[in-house]
């Protein structure tokens, strides 16, 4: 990757002047003095060993022959005093981050925790090796280094450390120069860039979309929009909404592999729009991709405005703290060093091997208990905060693309997974919470609670003593209680406010929880073989379409036009087994004026008149 010589300048590296310290839990606490969130909580030994804490929650553990711990749950704790003890005993608090984790409404027992302890110690060891640069992605022979992005000192070589630091500096400098107008579009009447059009899919979109929704100010220096699919309608909509602002738009094309079809198609469509507007795309184009990828070489050869590297040891779904997430965020005026700092603090907190003090491990414990370590229950993610709406969509990829695997590391077919869905509360209470409360019990909930409702001084009582935020708070707590009263388990992650630091911490928390959980269930969390299968199948459909077009064109160019049956088309394509797909291909072409289909006499696709361009080819489906 050519160094961005004009853009790199020596700026302080990520590490703050004062060493980052995490606050270890203090000694035992006095129950009556518990004030939330003011005081650190710890697991006072007397409580933890006290059998009464978990007395009503018992679980029989039977190690099934596949080694997956099963449990029989006899019902959750219901005594309020005992629940309060459980809440306080298990509450995790990271005071510096203002992040709290309540796992008291997940019914695991002490026996279960004890049974799992050896597996957690193995998971902690594996994570330690991963951070030291082990090949933690054995199927692709890769290291897994997303944690190094927020603390370059962790990287196993000085070369990697420099790559990380240089990229961060380049991102910050480029964003500063775009926002200040030092870097400007060639024909912009505004004299500066005012919009970002991000083209990418999967991990090259979901993180940036989540962070934009969570953290972008109301009036960002550049407003971002996304093309994250190969839907012509969606692409046209984004370009139409930009209108003349296309001249002031920075187009960021993000693709780690540099060859993802949907992203390539988006790029080609946008470059066409630039040509039609008389604009020079290269002067407004930025690429974020691996060195020497097809996208990188295209950007280099065409002389795009800038290129930023992606590294093979950062997966798409864990790339938010790389240039993939940092550049779009910085251009929106989001403090990316704060985001990195929040993630770094949470990373540090997750390095303890004391399970009860490790928030990521606590999440993994809950996931394993709630879904029997086999994904038997879905994870419903319910942030009670509009700005965190896309967190569940982000977690869908992070969790399901990591955990949803056919084979474990020993080659056993396990068909693992953990399904994630959700939007936001209290909105979802008016959609599907009915089923959660009373219907099929196939889920556990993760509430994301944000304590700060509005900036200081901006609150307003819509009735004496009650604000809008109080309703939101009440809806969350009420839903949590109502679900629990009907034996439905939940986790609550609380942050004091939605800030770059807390968002960085949330990203780190879940990245680590996924990694630890993957160790517990013995799978590789860092590859995605199933996705390749889908890409291959899509390629085969397009290949068949080319053959169909060739056959129809040959037939349509004969005098007179040679009518063909669908069987004849399939036969000439040497694809008799694909006759249904051939029908669908023709139907799709017909729906887009590339062929016209008139229903046959019997109204079903029996006799199909297909007009290809100006020639008419009548397909009689006998
Ligand atoms: O960033 P790209 O190489 O374009 O990949 C985009 C996405 O493609 C696939 O779907 C992978 O499974 C995702 O993990 C990745 O984020």
């Amino acid at each position: 990757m050519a160094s961005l010589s004009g853009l790199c300048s020596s700026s302080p590296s990520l590490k703050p002047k004062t060493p980052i310290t995490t606050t270890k839990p203090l000694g035992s606490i006095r129950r009556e003095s518990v004030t939330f969130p003011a005081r650190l909580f710890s697991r006072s030994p007397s409580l933890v060993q006290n059998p009464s804490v978990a007395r009503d929650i018992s679980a029989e553990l039977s190690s099934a022959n596949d080694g997956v711990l099963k449990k029989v749950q006899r019902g959750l704790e219901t005594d309020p005093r005992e629940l309060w003890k459980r809440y306080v005993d298990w509450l995790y608090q990271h005071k510096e981050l203002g992040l709290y984790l309540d796992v008291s409404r997940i019914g695991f027992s002490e026996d279960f925790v004890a049974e799992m302890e050896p597996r957690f110690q193995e998971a902690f060891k594996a994570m330690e090796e991963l951070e030291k640069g082990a090949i933690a992605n054995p199927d692709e022979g890769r290291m897994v280094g997303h944690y190094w992005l927020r603390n370059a000192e962790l990287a196993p070589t000085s070369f990697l450390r420099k790559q990380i630091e240089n990229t961060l500096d380049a991102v910050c400098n480029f964003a500063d120069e775009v926002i200040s107008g030092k870097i400007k579009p060639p024909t912009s009447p505004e004299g500066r860039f005012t919009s970002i059009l991000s083209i990418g899919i999967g991990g090259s979109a979901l993180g940036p979309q989540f962070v934009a929704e969570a953290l972008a100010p109301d009036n960002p220096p550049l407003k971002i929009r996304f093309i994250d699919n190969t839907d012509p309608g969606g692409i046209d909509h984004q370009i139409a909404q930009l209108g003349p602002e296309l001249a002031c738009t920075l187009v960021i094309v993000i693709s780690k592999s540099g060859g993802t079809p949907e992203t390539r198609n988006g790029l080609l469509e946008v470059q066409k729009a630039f040509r039609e507007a008389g604009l020079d795309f290269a002067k407004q184009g930025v690429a974020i991709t691996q060195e020497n990828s097809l996208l990188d070489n295209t950007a280099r050869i065409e002389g795009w405005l800038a290129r930023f590297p992606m590294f093979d040891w950062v997966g798409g779904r864990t790339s938010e703290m790389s240039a993939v997430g940092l550049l779009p965020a910085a251009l929106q005026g989001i403090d990316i060093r704060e985001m990195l700092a929040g993630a770094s603090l949470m990373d540090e907190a997750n390095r303890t091997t004391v399970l009860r003090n490790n928030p990521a491990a606590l999440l993994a414990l809950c996931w394993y208990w709630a879904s029997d370590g086999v994904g038997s229950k879905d994870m419903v993610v319910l942030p009670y905060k509009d700005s965190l709406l896309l967190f569940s969509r982000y977690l869908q990829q992070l969790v399901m693309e990591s955990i949803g695997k056919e084979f474990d590391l020993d080659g056993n077919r396990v068909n693992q997974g953990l399904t994630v869905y959700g939007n936001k509360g209290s909105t979802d209470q008016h959609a599907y919470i009915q089923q959660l409360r009373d219907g099929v019990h196939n889920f556990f909930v993760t509430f994301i609670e944000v304590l700060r409702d509005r900036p200081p001084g901006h609150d307003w009582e819509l009735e004496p003593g009650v604000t809008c935020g109080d309703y939101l708070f009440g809806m969350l707590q009420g839903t949590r209680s109502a679900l629990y009263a009907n034996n439905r388990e939940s986790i609550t992650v609380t942050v004091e406010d939605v800030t770059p630091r807390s968002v960085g911490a949330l990203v780190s928390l879940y990245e680590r929880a996924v990694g630890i959980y993957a160790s517990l269930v013995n799978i590789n969390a860092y590859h995605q073989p199933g996705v390749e299968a889908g890409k291959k199948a899509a390629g085969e459909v397009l290949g068949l379409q080319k053959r169909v077009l060739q056959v129809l064109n040959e037939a349509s160019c004969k005098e007179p036009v040679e009518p063909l049956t669908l069987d004849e088309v399939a036969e000439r394509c040497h694809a008799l087994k694909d006759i249904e797909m051939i029908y669908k291909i023709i139907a799709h072409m017909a729906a887009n004026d590339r062929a016209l289909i008139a229903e046959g006499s019997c109204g079903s696709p029996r006799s199909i008149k297909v007009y290809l361009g100006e020639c008419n080819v009548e397909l009689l489906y006998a």
Side-chain angles (χ1 to χ4, degrees), residues 98 385 450-452 454 495-499 502-503:
K385 197 72 182 173
V450 178
L451 296 177
R452 167 66 63 182
R454 275 187 167 122
V495 293
E496 287 176 359
D497 198 354
V498 179
T499 63
S502 63
V503 166

Side-chain angles (χ1 to χ4, degrees), residues 201-204 255-258 260 316-317 397 401 528 531 535:
I201 197 168
S204 294
S255 175
K256 173 177 176 182
S257 61
T260 301
R317 52 189 174 274
Q397 186 199 20
E401 197 169 66
Q528 48 284 326
V531 176
K535 283 182 182 175

Side-chain angles (χ1 to χ4, degrees), residues 1 11 69 90 147 236 244 277 332 352 368 378 382 386 414 434 465 585 602:
M1 178 72 67
S11 61
L69 290 176
W90 282 97
Y147 301 112
D236 295 346
Q332 297 171 79
T352 175
Y368 196 105
D378 299 344
L382 270 177
D386 285 1
V414 292
Q434 163 58 39
I585 287 168
C602 51

Side-chain angles (χ1 to χ4, degrees), residues 99 195 206 239 252 275 302 362 374 387 399 445 465 586 609:
L99 183 144
S195 266
L206 290 165
I239 292 170
I252 303 179
R275 286 194 299 274
E302 295 180 1
L362 286 172
V374 295
S387 60
V399 174
V445 173
I586 293 173
K609 192 185 292 290

Side-chain angles (χ1 to χ4, degrees), residues 564 566 583 586-612 615-621:
L564 295 172
L566 221 45
Y583 168 70
I586 293 173
H588 175 245
M589 288 195 292
N592 286 281
D593 310 326
R594 290 154 66 196
L596 179 67
I597 286 189
E599 282 305 330
S601 54
C602 51
S604 68
R606 304 297 294 167
S607 66
I608 297 168
K609 192 185 292 290
V610 178
Y611 298 85
L612 271 184
C615 304
N616 302 345
V617 175
E618 185 171 14
L619 284 176
L620 298 176
Y621 184 53

Side-chain angles (χ1 to χ4, degrees), residues 156-184:
T157 68
S158 57
F159 172 73
L160 291 179
R161 271 196 294 280
K162 286 312 285 173
Q163 273 194 311
I164 294 165
E165 289 168 353
N166 287 346
T167 304
L168 176 59
D169 288 345
V171 163
C172 291
N173 296 328
F174 181 78
D176 288 347
E177 294 187 354
V178 166
I179 292 171
S180 67
K182 187 173 177 186
I183 295 177
K184 60 179 69 177

